[in-house]
Amino acid sequence: MMKQKYVSGSCRVVATVAGMAALVGLCSCGDEEENKKEEAAQNVAADAAQVTEPAAPAEAAPAEPDAKEKLFEALIYDLGKAAAENAGNPELTEPVRNMLALMEEYYAQQAEALKGTAEKVRLALSMADITRNLTAWERACNSYDRAQADLDALPEAERNTPEKKRWQSSICNGKAFCELRRGNKTQALELYAKALEIDNALYAEVAPADDVELQPGEVGDELALATENVFFAYRCLGECQEFCEDPEEARETYKSGIEIAQRLKHLTPGMTYQYVRLMVALGNLESRCGRDRHALDSWGRAAQACQQVANVTTNVAIRSKVGRAYQSLAVNIKAMQEKLNKAETEMVPSQPAE
C-alpha cells in the first residue's frame, strides 16, 4: 500500500513509463473519477440512545487497490518490464534509464515502510532486471544481491512458498547472466545450476506421475508455469556450459529438459515456446559440433512445434514469438539441407564415359 507522503514519487515513475508507452505506440486511459465519500450518519445520538447493547462491529472487507495503485502496478511491472526488455532500442534506452532512477528513488523513500515485505523484494528484483537489460553488469550483480537480501528478510514460511522460490530462481538466473558477461564463468555455472535445482523441485511438486498421461486441456496453470520455468532453466544452464567449452555436458543438459516434454506430450502454447527455444539451442550446439543431421533433426522438430502452436493459439504474443522463431529456423533448415545435399552429391562417384 503506497503511503500518501510518497505519492509524488510514484506519480513521477508512472509519468516516465507512460512516456515510454507513447514511444512504442501505446496509449493509456486517464485516472478514474475518485469515489465519493460516504455521507455522515444522521441522528447518531438518537440512534445510540435506543440501542440496549452495543452492536458487533462489522467485519472489515479486504481493502481493494485504488486506481492509482493499479496504474502503478500495470505500468511498472507490465509495460515497464516490456520497455526494459527492449532497452537496446535507442528510442527507449534513455526513458528506461530515467524510469530506473525514479524507481531507485522510490525504493529508498519506501525502505522502512516496505521493510520485510514481498513488495520490497519484487521492486528490488524488477530494478535488478532492468539494470541487467541496460547491460550494466557489475551494477546489476549488486542489485541482485540487494534483492537477495530483501528476500532473505522475509519470514521463512513465506520464503518457502512457490512464488518466492520462483523469485529466488530469478535472482540466481539474472545474476548468473551478469556474471557470465563479466567473465566469471565459475560463479555463473553455480548460479545457473542453483536456479535449475529450484525449478526442478518446483516442477516435481506438480508434475504428474510417470504412469499418468495428461490429455489436452488437463495441464493446469501451476504445471504450465513450472514446466516453462524448468525448460528455461535447462536452456540457460546448457548455454552457459557451452560458453564454458563443455559441449558434452551442455548436450546432456538440453536433453534432460527435452525428456520432460516427451513425457508430458501435451504442452500449452507457453510451454511449447520454451520447448522450442530448448530444441533450437540443442540444434545450434549440434551444428557447431559438426553434427549436421542431428542439428537438422532438432531444428526440424522445433519448426514443427512452432507451426502447431501458430495453428491453435489465440495468444497474440505467443504467435508473434513462435512466428519469429519459425522464420529463423526456416533459414537455418534450408541452409543445412543445401549443405547436406551438396555433400551427398560430391560423394556419388562419377559415371565412366561411354
Side-chain angles (χ1 to χ4, degrees):
M1 181 68 68
M2 290 182 289
K3 294 190 175 181
Q4 186 65 31
K5 64 186 286 190
Y6 300 128
V7 166
S8 61
S10 65
C11 287
R12 284 162 52 203
V13 179
V14 168
T16 298
V17 184
M20 290 189 289
L23 284 174
V24 294
L26 298 177
C27 63
S28 61
C29 298
D31 291 336
E32 296 180 6
E33 183 180 349
E34 294 184 359
N35 295 329
K36 295 181 180 180
K37 296 182 178 179
E38 296 183 1
E39 296 181 358
Q42 300 296 317
N43 301 319
V44 174
D47 291 344
Q50 299 175 12
V51 178
T52 57
E53 293 183 4
E59 189 172 317
E64 289 290 333
D66 62 21
K68 189 173 291 183
E69 286 181 282
K70 291 179 180 178
L71 182 62
F72 184 81
E73 170 89 7
L75 289 178
I76 294 301
Y77 296 116
D78 294 336
L79 181 57
K81 178 181 178 181
E85 289 173 350
N86 293 279
N89 183 326
E91 293 183 343
L92 288 174
T93 303
E94 194 58 33
V96 168
R97 285 176 179 162
N98 186 43
M99 179 184 71
L100 178 60
L102 292 174
M103 289 175 70
E104 292 281 1
E105 180 183 348
Y106 180 77
Y107 177 89
Q109 289 179 342
Q110 293 280 45
E112 286 303 315
L114 294 177
K115 187 176 181 179
T117 66
E119 182 57 28
K120 189 176 186 183
V121 185
R122 190 184 185 200
L123 187 61
L125 179 54
S126 179
M127 290 188 293
D129 288 341
I130 293 171
T131 307
R132 178 200 62 198
N133 291 331
L134 289 168
T135 68
W137 309 128
E138 183 175 359
R139 183 181 172 189
C141 283
N142 294 334
S143 294
Y144 282 115
D145 287 340
R146 180 177 60 185
Q148 181 68 64
D150 289 338
L151 180 61
D152 291 341
L154 296 180
E156 183 178 359
E158 187 172 0
R159 291 201 309 273
N160 287 328
T161 61
E163 180 185 40
K164 304 312 181 294
K165 289 180 180 179
R166 287 193 289 268
W167 288 2
Q168 178 65 77
S169 174
S170 294
I171 291 171
C172 292
N173 194 288
K175 186 175 180 182
F177 185 88
C178 298
E179 293 288 15
L180 193 60
R181 294 309 180 276
R182 296 173 68 196
N184 300 327
K185 299 179 182 179
T186 301
Q187 293 92 323
L189 278 171
E190 291 175 353
L191 287 163
Y192 276 130
K194 183 177 179 180
L196 176 58
E197 181 181 359
I198 295 169
D199 288 317
N200 252 332
L202 288 170
Y203 171 77
E205 290 178 4
V206 295
D210 291 339
D211 58 346
V212 174
E213 181 177 337
L214 297 179
Q215 299 303 313
E218 293 183 348
V219 178
D221 292 341
E222 284 297 317
L223 176 57
L225 179 58
T227 307
E228 290 177 34
N229 288 342
V230 82
F231 286 166
F232 176 82
Y234 272 114
R235 179 177 59 81
C236 289
L237 177 58
E239 289 177 343
C240 184
Q241 290 166 335
E242 277 195 74
F243 193 83
C244 295
E245 300 180 0
D246 194 347
E248 292 299 326
E249 193 71 22
R251 182 179 292 110
E252 292 305 311
T253 297
Y254 293 142
K255 287 184 176 180
S256 294
I258 292 167
E259 286 176 3
I260 293 177
Q262 293 172 338
R263 286 199 302 270
L264 289 175
K265 295 183 180 179
H266 303 293
L267 307 179
T268 66
M271 293 160 67
T272 302
Y273 173 64
Q274 293 298 337
Y275 164 73
V276 164
R277 298 184 73 187
L278 193 55
M279 291 297 301
V280 169
L282 176 60
N284 293 345
L285 169 64
E286 301 293 24
S287 176
R288 284 189 286 268
C289 291
R291 291 159 52 97
D292 294 344
R293 293 196 178 279
H294 288 86
L296 186 61
D297 176 67
S298 294
W299 289 338
R301 285 193 283 166
Q304 185 179 24
C306 287
Q307 289 177 314
Q308 291 171 345
V309 170
N311 290 334
V312 299
T313 187
T314 58
N315 186 310
V316 176
I318 293 294
R319 285 179 65 91
S320 177
K321 289 177 180 178
V322 298
R324 290 195 298 270
Y326 182 81
Q327 291 176 352
S328 178
L329 282 164
V331 173
N332 289 346
I333 289 171
K334 181 180 178 181
M336 185 61 74
Q337 287 175 331
E338 291 175 350
K339 178 181 178 181
L340 290 171
N341 290 338
K342 181 179 179 181
E344 290 177 357
T345 301
E346 292 174 350
M347 291 177 62
V348 175
S350 58
Q351 297 295 324
E354 295 183 0

